[in-house]
Amino acid sequence: MVAVPRLSHGILSLTIKTKEELYKAYLPYIVNGGLFIPTLRSYHLGEEVFMLLELMEEGDKIPVTGKVVWVTPKGAQGGRTPGIGIQLSTDDSTLINKIENYLAGSLSSERKTNAL
């Protein structure tokens, strides 16, 4: 059971239907992993969010908690999509494993390795 944090913005919803959408939304370079959530709502860094994630072939919506680690405001330069980047909770390791399994080799080719 996931504890729902006290929220000022309500519950967000994110539906990811394809591997391409998942690749664009997943933020592997954030500690514990993260997700980009398109939204016009205004958030502050460090704010806790609660989201229901509909992930490709998963039957049920997955409850996700996280903290806002960046904000792309409405009207950002370069026509970027407004939204927030959230850092996933350490309790979401199962979700991170599911995401990385869906993306398989897509992520490993971009991760840096240390040369010996």
Side-chain angles (χ1 to χ4, degrees):
M1 179 154 194
V2 175
V4 178
R6 184 176 166 175
L7 306 168
S8 59
H9 296 292
I11 297 173
L12 293 167
S13 179
L14 180 63
T15 300
I16 298 176
K17 295 181 181 180
T18 67
K19 193 174 185 178
E20 181 179 312
E21 290 173 350
L22 181 59
Y23 184 77
K24 288 178 181 178
Y26 185 55
L27 310 171
Y29 45 83
I30 292 178
V31 175
N32 299 334
L35 288 170
F36 177 76
I37 305 167
T39 182
L40 295 174
R41 296 178 187 166
S42 178
Y43 289 86
H44 300 285
L45 294 178
E47 189 172 346
E48 288 191 49
V49 296
F50 180 75
M51 171 183 63
L52 292 176
L53 174 64
E54 192 173 332
L55 183 60
M56 297 168 64
E57 294 128 19
E58 300 293 317
D60 297 322
K61 291 185 179 184
I62 304 166
V64 179
T65 58
K67 288 193 177 191
V68 176
V69 292
W70 95 67
V71 176
T72 303
K74 183 178 177 183
Q77 290 181 335
R80 290 181 291 173
T81 302
I84 57 174
I86 65 162
Q87 178 180 31
L88 300 174
S89 164
T90 55
D91 296 338
D92 288 326
S93 60
T94 301
L95 172 62
I96 294 165
N97 289 336
K98 281 183 187 182
I99 289 172
E100 292 190 353
N101 283 334
Y102 276 123
L103 296 176
S106 302
L107 294 174
S108 60
S109 65
E110 291 191 13
R111 292 188 183 205
K112 295 182 181 181
T113 58
N114 294 329
L116 297 176

